[in-house]
Amino acid sequence: MKKEMMLVIVSFFLLSITAITGVYAVEEKAKVITISEEKADISGDGIDEVILLKGVPYQDDDSYLKEIYIEVAGSNGKVITFPLESGSKAALQLTDLNHDGIKDIFANVLTGGSGGIVNNYLYSLKNFVHTDLTIPEPLEMDAKFLNGYKAEIKLKQTGKSYLFDLKDRKKYYKKLGFYYKGKLNEPTELSVNPYNSLKPIPLGDGNMGLKGVQRVTGVANADTIALVESTWTYKNGQWKLLNSDVKQEKIK
């Protein structure tokens, strides 16, 4: 009788563990969300693939995704995964950016920081070969404050310099002790962000390219001095700068 009772207890315990494990498995599976779904031929075989952008949110904060990835169900029966960085938002677009006649996978992830920075990704799956096409590097620039409530930005790629009058924020800078009688207390550089935005755009030659926007700030993230725009095309296996523009931001 004791043996039978022991068997019943052990069986009940095992069933309980199995049930609990099953519940956890369902909960873990439920955490994965599909952000977007696309269907297109990205391999070049004439048959559409299914491209899913997925994320795994934190349990206590659905606004931030601790895991983000692209899952491609290929027409060859294989599943290919492209891991991305974590972030607050993610988006995916299919467009031919390397000009080979086949759509590429372009994705961006908003990091969620106060600077509004985005991480960007570009992949080709032509002939089912996973190729990282990379993205153009953000523009390099020398950016600094000048005496007289001014600032200067010089783009290294073009050699062009841009001068900004910042007298509209004179009171703010004086209050911070940043300037004294119009002179800087010490040499100070501006903060140059990587891309705050990078998007595919149509170019004049009928191909698609990328347009990036970088924010240049002064004494704080909210102190935007200028927005630097750059337009890029993919040529001979690398990105080529087509043009750039620097626009001053006025205090609103």
Side-chain angles (χ1 to χ4, degrees):
M1 185 69 181
K2 290 183 178 179
K3 280 187 178 181
E4 291 177 355
M5 182 61 71
M6 184 62 70
L7 285 172
V8 170
I9 294 172
V10 170
S11 298
F12 180 76
F13 176 75
L14 291 174
L15 285 171
S16 299
I17 292 295
T18 303
I20 291 170
T21 304
V23 169
Y24 275 113
V26 170
E27 287 179 353
E28 286 297 321
K29 188 175 181 180
K31 288 179 185 177
V32 180
I33 61 172
T34 298
I35 301 166
S36 64
E37 177 179 344
E38 302 284 346
K39 291 183 180 179
D41 175 23
I42 59 174
S43 64
D45 66 353
I47 305 173
D48 284 354
E49 275 72 43
V50 178
I51 304 99
L52 300 173
L53 178 61
K54 294 185 173 183
V56 179
Y58 281 104
Q59 287 183 338
D60 57 348
D61 185 7
D62 288 344
S63 65
Y64 193 85
L65 301 169
K66 63 179 179 180
E67 292 180 30
I68 304 173
Y69 59 95
I70 300 167
E71 184 179 276
V72 179
S75 57
N76 62 352
K78 296 183 178 180
V79 176
I80 301 173
T81 302
F82 302 83
L84 311 179
E85 297 290 329
S86 59
S88 60
K89 291 182 181 179
L92 180 148
Q93 188 172 345
L94 304 178
T95 184
D96 181 15
L97 285 165
N98 65 349
H99 314 152
D100 64 355
I102 300 172
K103 289 183 177 181
D104 308 304
I105 302 172
F106 176 76
N108 49 49
V109 176
L110 183 64
T111 61
S114 60
I117 308 300
V118 294
N119 291 323
N120 303 280
Y121 309 84
L122 179 61
Y123 301 110
S124 167
L125 202 61
K126 183 178 180 180
N127 298 325
F128 299 105
V129 177
H130 174 185
T131 305
D132 186 350
L133 298 176
T134 71
I135 59 164
E137 291 291 330
L139 291 177
E140 294 183 43
M141 57 194 89
D142 290 322
K144 58 187 178 182
F145 282 102
L146 300 176
N147 290 329
Y149 302 101
K150 294 180 181 179
E152 181 185 44
I153 296 175
K154 183 177 182 180
L155 302 184
K156 291 186 178 181
Q157 280 89 340
T158 65
K160 291 184 178 179
S161 294
Y162 303 83
L163 191 64
F164 304 93
D165 188 335
L166 305 178
K167 287 189 178 68
D168 58 346
R169 52 196 91 188
K170 176 179 177 179
K171 190 180 294 185
Y172 174 55
Y173 289 162
K174 285 178 69 177
K175 187 177 180 180
L176 291 174
F178 200 58
Y179 279 91
Y180 179 71
K181 292 184 178 180
K183 290 187 177 181
L184 283 167
N185 283 325
E186 59 181 0
T188 306
E189 294 183 349
L190 306 180
S191 296
V192 179
N193 288 340
Y195 291 120
N196 297 97
S197 170
L198 188 66
K199 297 178 180 179
I201 61 166
L203 302 175
D205 59 2
N207 290 315
M208 294 295 292
L210 288 171
K211 182 176 182 178
V213 178
Q214 295 169 250
R215 197 158 58 95
V216 181
T217 61
V219 297
N221 267 329
D223 184 27
T224 303
I225 305 296
L227 298 177
V228 181
E229 299 179 350
S230 54
T231 305
W232 305 83
T233 186
Y234 197 81
K235 192 172 183 179
N236 299 323
Q238 59 185 0
W239 289 99
K240 178 183 177 184
L241 179 65
L242 290 179
N243 54 64
S244 59
D245 191 19
V246 179
K247 298 179 179 179
Q248 182 170 359
E249 284 283 287
K250 294 289 185 180
I251 292 180
K252 295 178 182 179

